[in-house]
Amino acid sequence: MRILITGSSGQIGTNLALRLLRDGHEVFGIDKRLNTWSEAFPYLLQDLAGHYAPFPGGVNGVEYPETDLVVHLAAHAKVHQLVREPHRALENAMMTFNVLEYARQGKIPIVFSSSREVYGDVHRFEEYTEQVANFAYTESTYSASKIAGEAFIYSYARCYGLPYLVFRFSNVYGRFDNDLHRMVRVIPLFIHSMLRGEPITIYGGRDKTLDFTYVDDCVDGIVRGIEALAEGRVVNQTINLAYGKGNTLVRCAERIAAELDVAPRITLAPSLLGEVTHYVADLTKARELLGYDPSTPLDEGIARGVAWFLEHRAAHPEEDAPVLADHEGALGTGSAWKTAAAP
Ligand SMILES: NC(=O)c1ccc[n+]([C@@H]2O[C@H](COP(=O)([O-])OP(=O)(O)OC[C@H]3O[C@@H](n4cnc5c(N)ncnc54)[C@H](O)[C@@H]3O)[C@@H](O)[C@H]2O)c1
């Protein structure tokens, strides 16, 4: 297949693109930033968040290559950043709209990356199946942007017959996630801080429990979805993709410390505004519809993640610097193709 991935310079996008290439698919990406991890696939540098005039072959008058399926991952993906800067939540919705318009005009099936954040802080529910999302409890502007994205997808399916799959991810970690000076994520931040002998802060207290997903499991679920959607086996479904077990953030920090052979210095603090403090995914639907069977428990995933981090840090010692804030590098609104490096 010829698969277009938006957000292809990000963590999930890069891992997914490389896996699809290995599986024999053609991949091309779109992102507003250069890909700092890989030169293996071509991509377009383009800001997808503008208010653009309709154009059938791509977004903002740029003709995209022939595409069989779109995986839409591009987003501002940090809860706290969007609470501080809510206009970015609207940009998320705008990106989804632009990509949906492209998909509608070309009749191209779409996979959308939603989040467990759409459930809100799920202590209030006893079971966390896909149906329990209650949008009256929108926890943050980031959640709102994902709920808006899902709503647009569902409306395009109803009004225009556009086939879709929506995946709700949860705390994806592993390879290509330690560009902390662009975007702070909790697991690589803890590794980074502990390596520097700095204390770490756990917001949400000792009981904060999340469903951490090793990136290869997440990518495996997406690939199963792509294949099922393209074959018409599984269409118009919303599916949780996670590991399916909860771990406290404290345990996660302790596992990282054990892998690094350091004593962690942990400060507990109240949860931040908009934060989800308890989530464990029900994976019944993913297992039944896609045969999804995540294979990397937290201990093993942390060991792999730490090993990858150390290898990467050894090649980039300059990244051993204080992490100040989670802000993204922007590239303006121009567009230019980047081609794959010669094999
Ligand atoms: N990683 C997780 O734990 C997780 C959990 C739930 C949902 N998600 C969702 O999955 C998707 C991928 O997540 P990720 O972890 O790879 O995030 P990421 O930040 O690593 O990748 C997202 C990419 O989108 C790009 N992007 C942002 N704004 C853009 C714009 N205006 N135009 C073009 N590109 C733009 C960014 O440059 C970035 O490379 C996101 O939609 C995110 O919200 C991720």
Side-chain angles (χ1 to χ4, degrees):
M1 275 185 276
R2 296 160 300 187
I3 299 170
L4 185 154
I5 300 176
T6 72
S8 57
S9 299
Q11 179 207 13
I12 298 175
T14 305
N15 280 289
L16 175 65
L18 296 178
R19 161 74 193 269
L20 290 170
L21 286 179
R22 283 200 298 279
D23 289 357
H25 298 291
E26 267 179 55
V27 171
F28 59 96
I30 299 176
D31 205 295
K32 68 175 183 180
R33 296 181 307 118
L34 290 171
N35 192 312
T36 55
W37 311 111
S38 172
E39 294 190 333
F41 54 90
Y43 60 99
L44 178 71
L45 280 175
Q46 186 181 40
D47 187 339
L48 288 168
H51 197 150
Y52 301 128
F55 175 74
V59 170
N60 195 21
V62 181
E63 190 90 41
Y64 296 167
E66 284 286 306
T67 306
D68 300 310
L69 189 141
V70 179
V71 183
H72 176 44
L73 301 172
H76 301 294
K78 281 301 292 178
V79 176
H80 305 137
Q81 185 189 47
L82 270 60
V83 172
R84 284 199 313 273
E85 301 170 28
H87 71 277
R88 289 178 186 262
L90 188 59
E91 287 185 10
N92 280 356
M94 205 61 218
M95 288 180 228
T96 304
F97 170 75
N98 283 330
V99 173
L100 268 172
E101 272 298 278
Y102 161 68
R104 174 175 78 89
Q105 295 182 51
K107 299 184 173 38
I108 307 166
I110 183 165
V111 173
F112 176 61
S113 55
S114 188
S115 166
R116 61 115 202 273
E117 298 288 328
V118 303
Y119 294 116
D121 206 5
V122 287
H123 305 264
R124 1 183 132 83
F125 304 112
E126 290 188 351
E127 291 182 2
Y128 314 136
T129 61
E130 287 78 355
Q131 295 95 314
V132 301
N134 180 343
F135 299 157
Y137 294 110
T138 303
E139 212 75 45
S140 70
T141 43
Y142 173 76
S143 319
S145 77
K146 290 299 180 187
I147 290 166
E150 286 198 19
F152 266 122
I153 300 265
Y154 303 146
S155 70
Y156 270 59
R158 291 223 173 79
C159 298
Y160 314 116
L162 189 72
Y164 73 85
L165 287 183
V166 167
F167 285 122
R168 293 176 178 160
F169 303 142
S170 172
N171 284 84
V172 183
Y173 68 100
R175 209 181 300 109
F176 309 143
D177 65 348
N178 71 347
D179 46 353
L180 292 167
H181 300 282
R182 172 183 74 95
M183 175 155 136
V184 175
R185 303 173 200 255
V186 69
I187 289 183
L189 177 66
F190 284 0
I191 303 173
H192 174 87
S193 301
M194 287 186 205
L195 278 173
R196 290 171 52 80
E198 294 167 353
I200 59 164
T201 304
I202 293 184
Y203 297 98
R206 186 161 288 284
D207 298 331
K208 182 171 180 175
T209 298
L210 298 172
D211 197 335
F212 296 96
T213 317
Y214 187 65
V215 67
D216 287 350
D217 283 330
C218 173
V219 164
D220 184 64
I222 302 172
V223 170
R224 286 169 185 272
I226 289 172
E227 289 166 355
L229 178 62
E231 290 165 18
R233 275 188 286 118
V234 183
V235 179
N236 299 0
Q237 297 286 343
T238 298
I239 301 172
N240 294 332
L241 270 193
Y243 183 65
K245 291 209 168 57
N247 275 284
T248 63
L249 204 43
V250 170
R251 174 152 195 283
C252 184
E254 288 169 351
R255 287 305 316 152
I256 292 170
E259 284 299 324
L260 294 174
D261 201 16
V262 299
R265 288 193 287 145
I266 301 175
T267 306
L268 299 174
S271 59
L272 297 170
L273 194 63
E275 204 163 51
V276 167
T277 57
H278 187 100
Y279 176 74
V280 183
D282 180 328
L283 297 181
T284 309
K285 214 170 161 185
R287 291 186 198 283
E288 286 179 3
L289 293 179
L290 302 175
Y292 175 64
D293 189 18
S295 62
T296 317
L298 185 75
D299 291 13
E300 196 181 321
I302 292 287
R304 286 195 215 169
V306 167
W308 180 82
F309 189 112
L310 292 175
E311 195 182 312
H312 185 266
R313 180 54 59 86
H316 299 275
E318 73 282 1
E319 292 179 9
D320 180 11
V323 170
L324 298 174
D326 49 347
H327 57 83
E328 290 195 34
L331 206 118
T333 50
S335 49
W337 280 102
K338 295 286 298 173
T339 48

